[in-house]
Coordinates of all heavy atoms in Angstrom, one line a residue:
M294 N -2.4 -5.7 -6.9 CA -2.6 -4.3 -7.3 C -2.9 -4.3 -8.7 O -2.2 -4.9 -9.5 CB -1.2 -3.6 -7.0 CG -1.2 -2.2 -7.6 SD 0.5 -1.4 -7.5 CE 0.5 -0.9 -5.8
L295 N -4.0 -3.6 -9.1 CA -4.3 -3.4 -10.5 C -3.4 -2.3 -11.0 O -3.1 -1.3 -10.4 CB -5.8 -3.0 -10.6 CG -6.8 -4.1 -10.2 CD1 -8.2 -3.5 -10.3 CD2 -6.7 -5.3 -11.1
I296 N -3.0 -2.5 -12.3 CA -2.1 -1.5 -12.9 C -3.0 -0.8 -14.0 O -3.6 -1.4 -14.8 CB -0.9 -2.2 -13.6 CG1 -0.1 -3.1 -12.6 CG2 -0.1 -1.2 -14.3 CD1 0.5 -2.3 -11.5
N297 N -3.0 0.5 -13.9 CA -3.7 1.3 -14.9 C -3.0 2.6 -15.1 O -1.9 2.8 -14.6 CB -5.2 1.5 -14.5 CG -5.3 2.2 -13.2 OD1 -4.6 3.2 -12.8 ND2 -6.3 1.8 -12.3
E298 N -3.5 3.5 -15.9 CA -2.8 4.8 -16.2 C -2.6 5.7 -15.0 O -1.7 6.5 -15.0 CB -3.6 5.6 -17.3 CG -5.0 6.0 -16.9 CD -6.1 5.0 -17.0 OE1 -5.8 3.9 -17.6 OE2 -7.2 5.2 -16.5
K299 N -3.3 5.4 -13.9 CA -3.0 6.2 -12.6 C -2.0 5.6 -11.7 O -1.7 6.2 -10.7 CB -4.4 6.4 -11.9 CG -5.4 7.2 -12.7 CD -6.7 7.4 -12.0 CE -7.6 8.2 -12.8 NZ -8.9 8.3 -12.2
T300 N -1.6 4.4 -12.0 CA -0.6 3.7 -11.1 C 0.8 4.4 -11.2 O 1.3 4.6 -12.3 CB -0.4 2.2 -11.5 OG1 -1.7 1.6 -11.5 CG2 0.5 1.5 -10.6
S301 N 1.4 4.7 -10.1 CA 2.7 5.4 -10.1 C 3.8 4.4 -10.1 O 3.6 3.3 -9.4 CB 2.8 6.4 -9.0 OG 3.0 5.7 -7.8
N302 N 4.9 4.7 -10.8 CA 6.0 3.8 -10.7 C 6.6 3.7 -9.3 O 7.1 2.7 -8.9 CB 7.1 4.1 -11.8 CG 7.6 5.5 -11.6 OD1 7.2 6.2 -10.7 ND2 8.5 5.9 -12.5
F303 N 6.5 4.8 -8.5 CA 7.0 4.8 -7.2 C 6.2 3.8 -6.3 O 6.8 3.1 -5.5 CB 6.9 6.2 -6.6 CG 7.4 6.3 -5.2 CD1 8.8 6.3 -4.9 CD2 6.6 6.4 -4.1 CE1 9.3 6.3 -3.7 CE2 7.1 6.4 -2.8 CZ 8.4 6.4 -2.6
S304 N 4.9 3.7 -6.4 CA 4.1 2.8 -5.6 C 4.4 1.4 -5.9 O 4.5 0.5 -5.0 CB 2.6 3.1 -5.8 OG 2.2 2.8 -7.1
V305 N 4.7 1.0 -7.2 CA 5.1 -0.3 -7.6 C 6.5 -0.6 -7.0 O 6.7 -1.7 -6.5 CB 5.0 -0.5 -9.1 CG1 5.6 -1.8 -9.5 CG2 3.6 -0.3 -9.6
F306 N 7.4 0.3 -7.2 CA 8.7 0.1 -6.6 C 8.7 -0.1 -5.1 O 9.4 -1.1 -4.7 CB 9.6 1.4 -7.0 CG 11.0 1.3 -6.4 CD1 12.0 0.6 -7.2 CD2 11.4 1.8 -5.2 CE1 13.3 0.5 -6.7 CE2 12.6 1.7 -4.7 CZ 13.6 1.0 -5.5
E307 N 8.0 0.7 -4.4 CA 7.9 0.6 -2.9 C 7.4 -0.8 -2.5 O 7.9 -1.4 -1.5 CB 7.1 1.7 -2.3 CG 7.8 3.0 -2.3 CD 8.9 3.0 -1.3 OE1 8.7 2.8 -0.1 OE2 10.1 3.4 -1.7
E308 N 6.4 -1.3 -3.2 CA 5.7 -2.5 -2.7 C 6.4 -3.8 -3.2 O 6.4 -4.8 -2.6 CB 4.3 -2.5 -3.1 CG 3.5 -3.6 -2.5 CD 2.0 -3.4 -2.6 OE1 1.5 -2.2 -2.8 OE2 1.3 -4.3 -2.4
F309 N 7.0 -3.7 -4.4 CA 7.4 -5.0 -5.1 C 8.9 -5.1 -5.4 O 9.3 -6.1 -5.8 CB 6.6 -5.2 -6.4 CG 5.1 -5.2 -6.1 CD1 4.3 -4.2 -6.5 CD2 4.5 -6.3 -5.5 CE1 2.9 -4.2 -6.2 CE2 3.2 -6.4 -5.3 CZ 2.4 -5.4 -5.7
S310 N 9.7 -4.0 -5.3 CA 11.1 -4.0 -5.7 C 11.8 -5.1 -4.9 O 11.6 -5.2 -3.7 CB 11.7 -2.7 -5.6 OG 13.0 -2.7 -6.0
E311 N 12.7 -5.8 -5.6 CA 13.5 -6.9 -5.0 C 12.7 -7.9 -4.3 O 13.1 -8.5 -3.2 CB 14.5 -6.2 -4.0 CG 15.5 -5.3 -4.7 CD 16.5 -4.6 -3.8 OE1 16.5 -4.9 -2.6 OE2 17.3 -3.9 -4.3
R312 N 11.6 -8.3 -4.9 CA 10.7 -9.3 -4.4 C 10.2 -10.2 -5.5 O 10.1 -9.7 -6.7 CB 9.5 -8.7 -3.7 CG 9.9 -8.0 -2.4 CD 8.7 -7.5 -1.7 NE 9.1 -6.9 -0.4 CZ 8.7 -5.7 0.0 NH1 7.9 -5.0 -0.8 NH2 9.1 -5.2 1.1
W313 N 9.9 -11.4 -5.2 CA 9.3 -12.3 -6.2 C 7.8 -12.0 -6.3 O 7.1 -11.8 -5.3 CB 9.4 -13.8 -5.8 CG 10.8 -14.3 -6.0 CD1 11.8 -14.5 -5.1 CD2 11.3 -14.8 -7.3 NE1 12.9 -15.0 -5.8 CE2 12.6 -15.2 -7.1 CE3 10.7 -14.9 -8.6 CZ2 13.4 -15.7 -8.1 CZ3 11.5 -15.4 -9.6 CH2 12.8 -15.8 -9.4
C314 N 7.3 -11.8 -7.5 CA 5.9 -11.4 -7.8 C 5.3 -12.3 -8.9 O 6.0 -12.9 -9.7 CB 5.9 -10.0 -8.2 SG 6.6 -8.9 -7.0
K315 N 4.0 -12.3 -8.9 CA 3.2 -12.8 -10.0 C 2.5 -11.7 -10.7 O 1.9 -10.9 -10.0 CB 2.2 -13.9 -9.5 CG 2.8 -15.2 -9.1 CD 1.8 -16.3 -9.0 CE 0.8 -16.1 -7.9 NZ 0.0 -17.3 -7.7
I316 N 2.7 -11.6 -12.0 CA 2.0 -10.6 -12.8 C 1.1 -11.3 -13.7 O 1.4 -12.3 -14.3 CB 3.0 -9.7 -13.5 CG1 3.9 -10.5 -14.5 CG2 3.9 -8.9 -12.6 CD1 4.6 -9.6 -15.5
K317 N -0.1 -10.7 -13.9 CA -1.0 -11.1 -14.9 C -1.0 -10.1 -16.0 O -1.2 -8.9 -15.8 CB -2.4 -11.2 -14.3 CG -3.4 -11.7 -15.3 CD -4.8 -11.9 -14.7 CE -5.7 -12.5 -15.8 NZ -7.1 -12.6 -15.2
L318 N -0.7 -10.6 -17.2 CA -0.6 -9.7 -18.4 C -2.0 -9.5 -19.0 O -2.9 -10.4 -18.7 CB 0.3 -10.3 -19.4 CG 1.8 -10.5 -18.9 CD1 2.6 -11.2 -20.0 CD2 2.4 -9.1 -18.5
K319 N -2.2 -8.5 -19.7 CA -3.5 -8.2 -20.3 C -3.9 -9.3 -21.3 O -5.1 -9.5 -21.6 CB -3.5 -6.8 -21.0 CG -3.5 -5.7 -19.9 CD -3.5 -4.4 -20.6 CE -3.6 -3.3 -19.5 NZ -3.5 -2.0 -20.0
N320 N -2.9 -10.0 -21.8 CA -3.2 -11.1 -22.8 C -3.6 -12.4 -22.1 O -3.9 -13.4 -22.7 CB -2.1 -11.4 -23.7 CG -0.8 -12.0 -23.1 OD1 -0.9 -12.3 -21.9 ND2 0.2 -12.1 -23.8
G321 N -3.7 -12.4 -20.7 CA -4.1 -13.5 -19.9 C -2.9 -14.4 -19.3 O -3.2 -15.2 -18.5
D322 N -1.7 -14.2 -19.8 CA -0.6 -14.9 -19.3 C -0.3 -14.5 -17.9 O -0.5 -13.3 -17.5 CB 0.7 -14.7 -20.2 CG 0.6 -15.3 -21.6 OD1 -0.3 -16.2 -21.8 OD2 1.4 -15.0 -22.4
V323 N 0.3 -15.4 -17.1 CA 0.7 -15.1 -15.7 C 2.2 -15.5 -15.7 O 2.6 -16.6 -16.1 CB -0.1 -15.9 -14.7 CG1 0.4 -15.7 -13.3 CG2 -1.6 -15.5 -14.8
K324 N 3.0 -14.6 -15.1 CA 4.4 -14.9 -15.0 C 4.9 -14.7 -13.5 O 4.4 -13.8 -12.9 CB 5.3 -13.9 -15.8 CG 5.1 -14.1 -17.3 CD 6.1 -13.1 -18.0 CE 6.2 -13.4 -19.5 NZ 7.3 -12.7 -20.1
K325 N 5.8 -15.6 -13.1 CA 6.4 -15.3 -11.8 C 7.8 -14.7 -12.1 O 8.6 -15.3 -12.8 CB 6.6 -16.7 -11.0 CG 7.2 -16.5 -9.7 CD 7.3 -17.8 -8.9 CE 8.0 -17.5 -7.6 NZ 8.2 -18.8 -6.8
I326 N 8.0 -13.5 -11.5 CA 9.2 -12.8 -11.8 C 9.8 -12.2 -10.6 O 9.1 -12.0 -9.5 CB 9.0 -11.6 -12.8 CG1 8.0 -10.6 -12.2 CG2 8.5 -12.2 -14.2 CD1 7.8 -9.3 -13.1
Y327 N 11.1 -11.8 -10.6 CA 11.8 -11.1 -9.6 C 12.0 -9.7 -10.1 O 12.6 -9.5 -11.1 CB 13.1 -11.8 -9.3 CG 13.9 -11.1 -8.1 CD1 13.6 -11.4 -6.8 CD2 14.9 -10.2 -8.4 CE1 14.3 -10.8 -5.8 CE2 15.6 -9.6 -7.4 CZ 15.3 -9.9 -6.1 OH 16.0 -9.3 -5.1
I328 N 11.4 -8.7 -9.4 CA 11.5 -7.4 -9.8 C 12.8 -6.7 -9.3 O 13.0 -6.7 -8.1 CB 10.2 -6.6 -9.3 CG1 9.0 -7.2 -10.0 CG2 10.4 -5.1 -9.7 CD1 7.7 -6.5 -9.7
V329 N 13.5 -6.3 -10.2 CA 14.8 -5.6 -9.9 C 14.6 -4.1 -9.8 O 15.2 -3.5 -8.8 CB 15.9 -5.9 -11.0 CG1 17.2 -5.2 -10.8 CG2 16.0 -7.4 -11.2
D330 N 13.8 -3.5 -10.6 CA 13.7 -2.1 -10.6 C 12.4 -1.7 -11.3 O 11.8 -2.5 -12.0 CB 14.9 -1.4 -11.3 CG 15.1 0.1 -11.0 OD1 14.3 0.6 -10.1 OD2 16.0 0.7 -11.5
V331 N 12.0 -0.4 -11.1 CA 10.9 0.2 -11.8 C 11.4 1.5 -12.4 O 12.0 2.3 -11.7 CB 9.7 0.4 -10.9 CG1 8.6 1.1 -11.7 CG2 9.2 -0.9 -10.3
D332 N 11.2 1.7 -13.7 CA 11.8 2.8 -14.4 C 10.7 3.6 -15.0 O 9.9 3.1 -15.8 CB 12.8 2.3 -15.4 CG 13.6 3.5 -16.1 OD1 13.3 4.6 -15.9 OD2 14.4 3.2 -16.9
G333 N 10.7 4.9 -14.8 CA 9.7 5.8 -15.4 C 10.2 6.7 -16.5 O 9.5 7.6 -16.9
E334 N 11.4 6.4 -16.9 CA 12.1 7.3 -17.9 C 12.4 6.5 -19.2 O 13.2 7.0 -20.0 CB 13.3 7.9 -17.3 CG 13.1 8.7 -16.1 CD 14.3 9.4 -15.5 OE1 15.4 9.3 -16.1 OE2 14.2 9.9 -14.4
S335 N 11.7 5.4 -19.4 CA 12.0 4.7 -20.7 C 11.1 5.2 -21.8 O 10.2 6.0 -21.6 CB 11.7 3.2 -20.5 OG 10.3 3.0 -20.5
E336 N 11.4 4.8 -23.0 CA 10.5 5.2 -24.2 C 9.1 4.7 -24.0 O 8.2 5.3 -24.5 CB 11.1 4.6 -25.4 CG 12.5 5.2 -25.8 CD 13.0 4.6 -27.1 OE1 12.3 3.9 -27.8 OE2 14.2 4.8 -27.3
E337 N 8.9 3.6 -23.3 CA 7.6 3.0 -23.1 C 6.9 3.6 -21.9 O 5.8 3.1 -21.5 CB 7.8 1.5 -22.8 CG 8.5 0.7 -23.8 CD 7.5 0.1 -24.8 OE1 6.3 0.1 -24.6 OE2 8.0 -0.4 -25.8
R338 N 7.4 4.6 -21.3 CA 6.9 5.3 -20.1 C 7.3 4.5 -18.9 O 8.5 4.3 -18.7 CB 5.4 5.5 -20.2 CG 5.0 6.6 -19.1 CD 3.5 6.9 -19.3 NE 3.0 7.6 -18.1 CZ 2.7 7.1 -16.9 NH1 2.8 5.8 -16.7 NH2 2.2 7.8 -16.0
D339 N 6.4 3.9 -18.1 CA 6.8 3.2 -16.9 C 7.0 1.7 -17.3 O 6.1 1.1 -17.9 CB 5.7 3.3 -15.9 CG 5.6 4.7 -15.4 OD1 6.6 5.4 -15.3 OD2 4.4 5.1 -15.0
I340 N 8.1 1.1 -16.8 CA 8.4 -0.3 -17.1 C 8.9 -0.9 -15.8 O 9.4 -0.3 -14.9 CB 9.4 -0.5 -18.2 CG1 10.8 0.2 -17.8 CG2 9.0 0.0 -19.5 CD1 11.9 -0.2 -18.7
I341 N 8.7 -2.3 -15.7 CA 9.2 -3.1 -14.6 C 10.4 -3.8 -15.2 O 10.3 -4.5 -16.3 CB 8.2 -4.1 -14.1 CG1 7.1 -3.3 -13.3 CG2 8.8 -5.1 -13.3 CD1 5.9 -4.2 -12.9
I342 N 11.5 -3.7 -14.6 CA 12.7 -4.4 -15.0 C 12.8 -5.7 -14.1 O 12.8 -5.6 -12.9 CB 14.0 -3.6 -14.8 CG1 13.8 -2.3 -15.7 CG2 15.2 -4.3 -15.2 CD1 14.8 -1.2 -15.5
Y343 N 12.9 -6.8 -14.7 CA 12.8 -8.1 -13.9 C 13.7 -9.2 -14.5 O 14.3 -9.0 -15.6 CB 11.4 -8.6 -14.0 CG 11.0 -9.2 -15.3 CD1 11.1 -10.5 -15.6 CD2 10.6 -8.4 -16.4 CE1 10.8 -11.1 -16.8 CE2 10.3 -8.9 -17.6 CZ 10.4 -10.3 -17.8 OH 10.1 -10.8 -19.0
N344 N 13.9 -10.2 -13.7 CA 14.5 -11.5 -14.2 C 13.8 -12.6 -13.6 O 12.9 -12.5 -12.8 CB 16.0 -11.5 -14.0 CG 16.4 -11.4 -12.5 OD1 15.9 -12.2 -11.7 ND2 17.3 -10.5 -12.2
D345 N 14.2 -13.8 -14.0 CA 13.6 -15.0 -13.4 C 14.6 -15.8 -12.6 O 14.4 -17.0 -12.3 CB 12.9 -15.9 -14.4 CG 13.8 -16.3 -15.5 OD1 15.1 -16.1 -15.5 OD2 13.4 -17.0 -16.5
T346 N 15.7 -15.2 -12.2 CA 16.8 -15.9 -11.5 C 16.8 -15.5 -10.0 O 17.4 -16.2 -9.2 CB 18.1 -15.6 -12.1 OG1 18.4 -14.2 -12.0 CG2 18.2 -16.1 -13.5
G347 N 16.3 -14.3 -9.7 CA 16.3 -13.8 -8.3 C 17.5 -13.0 -8.0 O 17.7 -12.5 -6.9
S348 N 18.4 -12.7 -9.0 CA 19.6 -11.9 -8.8 C 19.2 -10.4 -8.9 O 18.1 -10.1 -9.5 CB 20.7 -12.3 -9.8 OG 20.4 -11.8 -11.1
D349 N 20.0 -9.6 -8.5 CA 19.8 -8.1 -8.6 C 20.3 -7.6 -9.9 O 20.4 -6.4 -10.1 CB 20.4 -7.4 -7.4 CG 19.7 -7.6 -6.1 OD1 18.4 -7.9 -6.2 OD2 20.3 -7.6 -5.1
S350 N 20.7 -8.5 -10.8 CA 21.2 -8.1 -12.1 C 20.0 -7.8 -13.0 O 18.9 -8.4 -12.8 CB 22.0 -9.2 -12.8 OG 23.1 -9.5 -12.1
Y351 N 20.2 -6.9 -13.9 CA 19.1 -6.5 -14.8 C 18.8 -7.6 -15.8 O 19.6 -8.4 -16.1 CB 19.4 -5.2 -15.5 CG 19.2 -4.0 -14.6 CD1 20.1 -3.7 -13.6 CD2 18.2 -3.1 -14.8 CE1 19.9 -2.6 -12.7 CE2 17.9 -2.0 -14.0 CZ 18.8 -1.8 -13.0 OH 18.6 -0.7 -12.1
G352 N 17.6 -7.6 -16.3 CA 17.1 -8.6 -17.2 C 16.2 -8.0 -18.3 O 16.6 -7.0 -18.9
D353 N 15.0 -8.5 -18.3 CA 14.0 -8.0 -19.3 C 13.2 -6.9 -18.7 O 13.3 -6.6 -17.5 CB 13.1 -9.2 -19.7 CG 13.9 -10.3 -20.4 OD1 14.8 -10.0 -21.3 OD2 13.7 -11.5 -20.1
A354 N 12.3 -6.4 -19.6 CA 11.4 -5.3 -19.1 C 10.0 -5.5 -19.7 O 9.8 -6.1 -20.7 CB 12.0 -3.9 -19.6
I355 N 9.1 -5.1 -18.9 CA 7.7 -5.2 -19.2 C 7.1 -3.8 -19.0 O 7.1 -3.3 -17.9 CB 6.9 -6.2 -18.4 CG1 7.4 -7.6 -18.6 CG2 5.4 -6.2 -18.8 CD1 6.8 -8.7 -17.7
P356 N 6.4 -3.2 -20.0 CA 5.8 -1.9 -19.8 C 4.5 -2.1 -18.9 O 3.8 -3.1 -19.0 CB 5.5 -1.4 -21.2 CG 5.5 -2.6 -22.0 CD 6.4 -3.6 -21.4
F357 N 4.2 -1.1 -18.1 CA 3.0 -1.1 -17.3 C 1.8 -1.3 -18.3 O 0.8 -2.0 -17.9 CB 2.8 0.2 -16.6 CG 3.5 0.4 -15.3 CD1 4.6 -0.4 -15.0 CD2 3.1 1.3 -14.4 CE1 5.3 -0.2 -13.8 CE2 3.8 1.5 -13.2 CZ 4.9 0.7 -12.9
S358 N 1.8 -0.8 -19.5 CA 0.7 -0.9 -20.4 C 0.3 -2.4 -20.8 O -0.8 -2.6 -21.2 CB 0.9 -0.1 -21.6 OG 2.1 -0.6 -22.3
D359 N 1.2 -3.3 -20.5 CA 1.0 -4.7 -20.8 C 0.5 -5.5 -19.6 O 0.2 -6.7 -19.7 CB 2.3 -5.4 -21.3 CG 2.7 -5.0 -22.7 OD1 1.9 -4.3 -23.4 OD2 3.8 -5.3 -23.2
I360 N 0.5 -4.9 -18.4 CA 0.2 -5.6 -17.2 C -1.2 -5.2 -16.7 O -1.6 -4.1 -16.6 CB 1.3 -5.2 -16.1 CG1 2.7 -5.5 -16.6 CG2 0.9 -5.8 -14.8 CD1 3.8 -4.9 -15.7
E361 N -1.9 -6.3 -16.3 CA -3.2 -6.1 -15.7 C -3.1 -5.9 -14.2 O -3.7 -5.1 -13.6 CB -4.1 -7.2 -16.1 CG -5.6 -7.1 -15.5 CD -6.4 -8.2 -16.0 OE1 -6.4 -8.5 -17.2 OE2 -7.1 -8.8 -15.1
S362 N -2.4 -6.8 -13.6 CA -2.2 -6.8 -12.1 C -0.9 -7.4 -11.7 O -0.3 -8.1 -12.4 CB -3.4 -7.5 -11.4 OG -3.4 -8.9 -11.7
I363 N -0.5 -7.1 -10.4 CA 0.7 -7.6 -9.8 C 0.4 -7.9 -8.4 O -0.3 -7.2 -7.7 CB 1.8 -6.6 -10.0 CG1 3.1 -7.2 -9.5 CG2 1.5 -5.3 -9.4 CD1 4.4 -6.3 -9.8
E364 N 1.0 -9.0 -7.9 CA 0.9 -9.4 -6.5 C 2.2 -10.1 -6.0 O 2.9 -10.6 -6.9 CB -0.3 -10.3 -6.2 CG -0.2 -11.6 -7.0 CD -1.5 -12.4 -6.8 OE1 -2.6 -11.8 -6.9 OE2 -1.4 -13.6 -6.6
L365 N 2.4 -10.1 -4.7 CA 3.6 -10.9 -4.2 C 3.4 -12.4 -4.4 O 2.3 -12.8 -4.3 CB 3.8 -10.6 -2.7 CG 4.2 -9.1 -2.4 CD1 4.3 -8.9 -0.9 CD2 5.6 -8.8 -3.0
A366 N 4.4 -13.0 -4.8 CA 4.3 -14.5 -5.0 C 4.4 -15.3 -3.7 O 4.9 -14.8 -2.8 CB 5.4 -14.9 -6.0

């Protein structure tokens, strides 16, 4: 899924929440993450809350504006 200004946090939540995913950042980096939640009420607008352990505990956050694409791992 390509991430752009029209991507809704709900669609990302529905497809990727509580799953392992690979995200490609706009800077070219690729990360394998476990998505815990998607939040549309942060200062950064829409963010993905993730960790790299697979637990349902909260961890780090990445704003949609830094993400080029996301897919299931």
Side-chain angles (χ1 to χ4, degrees):
M294 170 187 283
L295 292 176
I296 304 296
N297 59 40
E298 64 277 348
K299 295 180 182 179
T300 305
S301 75
N302 60 359
F303 182 75
S304 65
V305 174
F306 179 84
E307 284 291 304
E308 191 164 342
F309 301 106
S310 182
E311 298 181 359
R312 295 185 175 128
W313 283 99
C314 301
K315 285 196 291 188
I316 59 167
K317 182 176 182 184
L318 301 175
K319 289 183 178 174
N320 69 6
D322 290 347
V323 176
K324 290 185 171 189
K325 183 177 178 184
I326 62 171
Y327 181 79
I328 296 182
V329 178
D330 198 4
V331 179
D332 186 356
E334 299 179 11
S335 75
E336 292 178 16
E337 301 266 350
R338 197 175 166 282
D339 296 327
I340 60 170
I341 290 176
I342 301 167
Y343 74 96
N344 62 50
D345 59 4
T346 64
S348 75
D349 289 331
S350 297
Y351 282 71
D353 295 320
I355 300 175
F357 278 22
S358 60
D359 290 351
I360 302 171
E361 182 175 311
S362 64
I363 182 171
E364 63 185 43
L365 292 175

